[in-house]
Amino acid sequence: LFGLKFSIDFTGGSKLLIDPSQDSILQRNTIEDIYKKEGIEIHNIVEQGNEILIRSIPMSQKKHEKVFDELAKKDPGVKENSFETVGAVIGNETKTNAIKAVVISIIAITLYVAFAFRAVSQPVASWKFGIVTIITLAHDILVTVGIFAILGKVFQVEVDSLFITALLTILGFSVHDTIVVFDRI
């Protein structure tokens, strides 16, 4: 319903995480004005405890330095905790490769399960074991993706490349559990 909230790993862009001083006057509109002055479009600004996360279109290192200098003029005690930027082409390529990895894993798992249970012919054919494995995988993956879609909508939780690693890990554990159950059957 909500879709996933993709990080810059998939969408491309820049992410600046700053830690304002205790008596900071940095507010959302001040940050927006600084970025607008430099001609950089902001996607969103999220306050995470004491830190402020600013996601924007991709910016060069030179623009980043200008923006941070302007932020430091408004709040001399501001600290930069992290800055990263990813181009849109790389982000789309990462998204495509992640989808390919999940699809190839699912196909390989189906073939493996069908091969592993090839000697079992009665009462269920081995290819049916593979199909049931995919159904259980889909359930496990959809529950995880659904939870992260809700977290993205409510708490602005982003999905990055580590999320894909986690999905592939879930696939592996799900298959392992399914094979143990099939072996008992």
Side-chain angles (χ1 to χ4, degrees):
L1 180 65
F2 305 123
L4 294 171
K5 184 169 181 55
F6 291 107
S7 73
I8 65 168
D9 291 354
F10 298 113
T11 60
S14 293
K15 186 165 50 172
L16 176 62
L17 185 63
I18 59 172
D19 188 4
S21 62
Q22 295 294 344
D23 55 341
S24 174
I25 60 164
L26 280 181
Q27 295 181 4
R28 182 178 298 268
N29 57 356
T30 309
I31 295 169
E32 288 171 351
D33 290 343
I34 291 170
Y35 270 74
K36 188 181 283 186
K37 178 182 165 190
E38 293 300 325
I40 301 168
E41 179 185 335
I42 294 179
H43 293 302
N44 66 357
I45 299 173
V46 179
E47 293 181 27
Q48 303 173 332
N50 294 336
E51 299 176 322
I52 299 174
L53 175 66
I54 308 158
R55 290 184 66 230
S56 66
I57 62 171
M59 66 174 142
S60 67
Q61 186 65 30
K62 189 180 271 188
K63 283 270 192 192
H64 160 253
E65 290 170 5
K66 279 184 176 180
V67 166
F68 188 73
D69 288 344
E70 290 295 321
L71 289 170
K73 285 179 187 174
K74 299 285 184 188
D75 178 8
V78 68
K79 294 177 189 156
E80 178 181 330
N81 290 347
S82 71
F83 173 74
E84 57 185 286
T85 190
V86 176
V89 173
I90 302 230
N92 286 331
E93 187 176 309
T94 303
K95 191 184 298 184
T96 303
N97 288 340
I99 291 169
K100 284 180 188 175
V102 171
V103 169
I104 289 170
S105 296
I106 288 173
I107 290 169
I109 288 166
T110 304
L111 294 174
Y112 171 76
V113 170
F115 177 76
F117 291 97
R118 69 188 179 283
V120 179
S121 60
Q122 293 299 329
V124 180
S126 66
W127 64 270
K128 290 182 181 175
F129 280 108
I131 298 300
V132 169
T133 301
I134 295 306
I135 292 169
T136 60
L137 288 175
H139 170 268
D140 294 344
I141 294 298
L142 287 175
V143 167
T144 305
V145 170
I147 288 170
F148 271 84
I150 292 169
L151 290 173
K153 180 69 174 176
V154 176
F155 297 111
Q156 305 299 317
V157 173
E158 295 179 344
V159 171
D160 58 8
S161 56
L162 291 176
F163 181 75
I164 301 304
T165 305
L167 287 182
L168 292 172
T169 304
I170 290 170
L171 285 173
F173 279 110
S174 180
V175 167
H176 178 267
D177 294 346
T178 304
I179 289 173
V180 168
V181 170
F182 287 167
D183 190 46
R184 300 289 183 226
I185 292 172

